[in-house]
Amino acid sequence: MAASTSSLYASSLLPKSSAKYPSLSSFPRSSLFTPPNSTNLFSSSPLSLRLSSTTTPPPSAVPSASAAAALEAQPSPASATPLKSLPFRVGHGFDLHRLEPGYPLIIGGINIPHERGCEAHSDGDVLLHCVVDAILGALGLPDIGQIFPDSDPKWKGAPSSVFIKEAVRLMHEAGYEIGNLDATLILQRPKLSPHKEAIRANLSELLGADPAVVNLKAKTHEKVDSLGENRSIAAHTVVLLMRK
């Protein structure tokens, strides 16, 4: 008898008509996921890219000593135009190069004594390439390989300071400056402790930034894979750009 009474009581709690409690299928799909009067956060990027719509044949080879002059003489392949004023932007960069005998090892514009160096189209400066990519990424621009393609003989043996100066120019053109930068170099040899301050000082000068906002770390790879076997070198960089 008690069980029967409980069943009657439970049934009395149920809705008299299912019409009062429509199923999810009766709602428009958009109303389930889109708040009223909401806007699409991804309908427009805060930074647009203006690229030249014309393609010109690659210029003849320019010696590396003339690379900077050649860059200044030609219009930039990319230009950043901010659509929305953001207080800051964050970018990440990564680069890796093989280490081979017979090449100089240049890191942050500083020539580091070593029996191996970076095999690359330009001077192979893994740190500067990484920093350039971080700045370009923060600005929403293509990576270094698209703006300075290794298929263009103009950049053969070019100093990477040319690339970083162009990245800094684009940064200022977009209305930003370096907030702070943190870079990590990964290599097994040589030890970079004796060279870190020289590298950091030169990088700060190229960026036009206070050395206090530029940080540099160096790690080994515990003898694991090509990095740990002294067959390659890599770098990571995170940069914060602040609105001027």
Side-chain angles (χ1 to χ4, degrees), residues 52-128:
S52 173
S53 59
T54 59
T55 303
T56 57
S60 58
V62 178
S64 59
S66 305
L71 180 62
E72 293 176 358
Q74 296 188 4
S76 169
S79 179
T81 303
L83 296 180
K84 181 179 179 181
S85 179
L86 298 177
F88 62 87
R89 304 184 70 87
V90 177
H92 171 261
F94 170 77
D95 197 29
L96 181 145
H97 285 299
R98 290 193 305 272
L99 291 174
E100 298 288 351
Y103 291 89
L105 180 59
I106 301 173
I107 301 176
I110 304 298
N111 200 324
I112 308 297
H114 192 47
E115 70 271 13
R116 290 170 175 261
C118 291
E119 181 182 7
H121 185 68
S122 62
D123 64 0
D125 193 324
V126 68
L127 177 59
L128 294 192

Side-chain angles (χ1 to χ4, degrees), residues 12 46 50 60 74 122 130 136 152 196 199 219 241:
S12 70
R50 300 197 308 267
S60 58
Q74 296 188 4
S122 62
C130 182
L136 295 177
D152 192 335
K196 281 176 63 177
I199 295 172
K219 307 287 185 182
L241 304 185

